[in-house]
Amino acid sequence: MRILGIDPGTGICGFGVIEGRHAIDYGVISTPPRTPLPDRLEDIYNSLHEIIQQNHPDVISIEKLFFKQNITTGISVAEARGICLLVAKQSHLPIYEYSPNQIKSAICGYGMAHKPQIQEMVRIHLGLKTVPKPDDAADALAAAIVHSLIGRPDLAQV
């Protein structure tokens, strides 16, 4: 099964495609900070659509929204996440959502794991020589790995 993991964001949206224990493609969709939000969302939409066309995933695994302090940042991330869900739905792909704690627990065995721990476990799981960069790409690969480990049709589907 080919899984596209997404770490949604407006400035940087991470993506990672895996099949089994192999990374097929990963990186980020970056949008310039001073660009109007509608243009940034359009860039994310077009880029994600292209990633899906190039990689032909079977499912989408996306990180659920979680924010503690800055509601403005949370709202823009939610808007980017909505675009990701729309592209997946229009592509007729099943969508699965996982909370940050679910991802950390599945990858590291501990729901409060820190980014370096997650990145190293992603590297080990996928047999990569180096930790995937930037962080958002590693987070997206982690979302994909979680679905490969625990994903079931009755679990976490939108």
Side-chain angles (χ1 to χ4, degrees):
M1 175 185 313
R2 192 169 278 204
I3 304 165
L4 169 58
I6 301 173
D7 178 32
T10 306
I12 300 174
C13 181
F15 71 91
V17 181
I18 67 166
E19 191 163 3
R21 292 181 69 108
H22 302 284
I24 305 300
D25 189 14
Y26 62 89
V28 295
I29 301 165
S30 298
T31 63
R34 293 197 177 14
T35 304
L37 182 61
D39 295 337
R40 294 173 93 177
L41 295 175
E42 182 182 38
D43 285 348
I44 293 167
Y45 177 91
N46 291 334
S47 298
L48 192 55
H49 185 71
E50 186 176 317
I51 290 164
I52 289 170
Q53 285 184 324
Q54 290 174 352
N55 290 288
H56 307 287
D58 298 304
V59 300
I60 302 287
S61 177
I62 187 167
E63 187 173 321
K64 286 183 180 178
L65 180 60
F66 175 79
F67 62 96
K68 287 184 191 177
Q69 297 172 354
N70 190 338
I71 193 163
T72 304
T73 301
I75 289 171
S76 71
V77 171
E79 291 170 330
R81 191 173 178 284
I83 292 297
C84 296
L85 293 172
L86 175 64
V87 174
K89 192 70 176 167
Q90 288 179 338
S91 300
H92 307 288
L93 294 169
I95 303 164
Y96 296 86
E97 299 182 276
Y98 298 96
S99 71
N101 283 351
Q102 283 177 302
I103 293 171
K104 292 174 184 179
S105 291
I107 298 290
C108 297
Y110 176 59
M112 300 303 288
H114 297 288
K115 277 203 182 282
Q117 294 168 300
I118 298 163
Q119 293 166 344
E120 181 62 13
M121 292 306 292
V122 166
R123 185 194 70 74
I124 291 167
H125 183 86
L126 297 174
L128 301 171
K129 291 181 182 181
T130 60
V131 168
K133 294 288 182 189
D135 296 354
D136 306 88
D139 290 346
L141 286 167
I145 291 168
V146 167
H147 186 72
S148 74
L149 295 173
I150 64 172
R152 299 188 325 251
D154 62 334
L155 178 67
Q157 189 167 16
V158 174

